[in-house]
Amino acid sequence: MSKPSGAGALAAVVAVLVFWNVGKALADGFGDLEKGQGRIRVVFSLTTIPTRIKKIQHVLTAIVDEQTYPLDAVYLAVPPSVTTFPKWLEEFNSTSRRPGILKVLRMAADYGPSSKLLAALAEGGESSSSTTLIVYGDDDVMYGKDIVEQHVQAQLAASAAGRRVAFGSRKIAIGGGQRREELLE
């Protein structure tokens, strides 16, 4: 795995800022969940590029079929430069253990590394929900079966403590020199 580029780090910062701004609404939604007033919507969002789309079947299977916390949707954001899908992707929802969970989002424009979050908001329609937890990731990372559950538990714990949190599952570095800072993405 390579280290995040400047654009990747910027995307992580943008994602954290977007998440932080909706944190109050999410915290309110999790508060309702803790009081037994329903289940919060949890989605996973990732993007791919033309050179990797043929290689992501195992990543999608791990996210859609193998998570200990069942997702309401998994968004795969596809930029306009992807013109054809592999056969396995066209058939994924009919062969998955959780049919219909994968939503392929054909983006009108490529948002770059930020697509993993912004496409869920723009093309996925998640911007209209103030109580959706969007977990985002990369198409070249194999996630463990409990990554989504860990995100949900971190949000519940923060909500119970009256805090907002952006939970990360891998460490990235932003800035340089004395201003360099490591944080969880």
Side-chain angles (χ1 to χ4, degrees):
M1 302 286 159
S2 60
K3 292 185 179 180
S5 65
L10 177 60
V13 170
V14 167
V16 169
L17 291 175
V18 167
F19 187 82
W20 192 260
N21 286 334
V22 298
K24 174 73 170 85
L26 277 174
D28 291 346
F30 278 118
D32 291 344
L33 178 64
E34 289 173 332
K35 296 173 194 164
Q37 297 178 3
R39 182 181 179 275
I40 193 131
R41 182 173 166 77
V42 181
V43 302
F44 194 102
S45 185
L46 68 158
T47 188
T48 194
I49 56 176
T51 57
R52 288 205 298 245
I53 194 165
K54 294 177 184 173
K55 304 173 187 175
I56 63 171
Q57 183 174 7
H58 296 295
V59 173
L60 288 175
T61 298
I63 296 167
V64 173
D65 290 341
E66 298 171 2
Q67 291 299 307
T68 57
Y69 190 96
L71 290 154
D72 294 291
V74 173
Y75 295 120
L76 175 63
V78 180
S81 58
V82 173
T83 56
T84 59
F85 292 159
K87 184 175 174 84
W88 67 263
L89 182 56
E90 292 175 356
E91 298 172 350
F92 190 89
N93 274 322
S94 62
T95 59
S96 168
R97 283 185 269 171
R98 299 202 60 228
I101 295 298
L102 178 65
K103 313 288 186 208
V104 178
L105 306 177
R106 288 189 166 270
M107 297 184 296
D110 189 345
Y111 308 119
S114 299
S115 296
K116 66 183 93 175
L117 177 63
L118 298 180
L121 296 171
E123 279 87 354
E126 294 300 337
S127 63
S128 63
S129 174
S130 64
T131 57
T132 296
L133 173 62
I134 302 173
V135 179
Y136 63 90
D138 294 314
D139 67 345
D140 59 349
V141 175
M142 284 298 296
Y143 294 98
K145 64 182 180 172
D146 61 352
I147 190 68
V148 173
E149 187 173 356
Q150 290 174 353
H151 277 268
V152 171
Q153 288 174 352
Q155 293 300 323
L156 287 170
S159 176
R163 297 179 287 118
R164 292 178 275 176
V165 65
F167 174 79
S169 55
R170 72 176 183 174
K171 193 178 287 189
I172 63 168
I174 59 172
Q178 290 185 339
R179 296 190 58 137
R180 180 181 171 90
E181 181 179 350
E182 291 188 348
L183 55 98
L184 290 176
E185 175 186 44

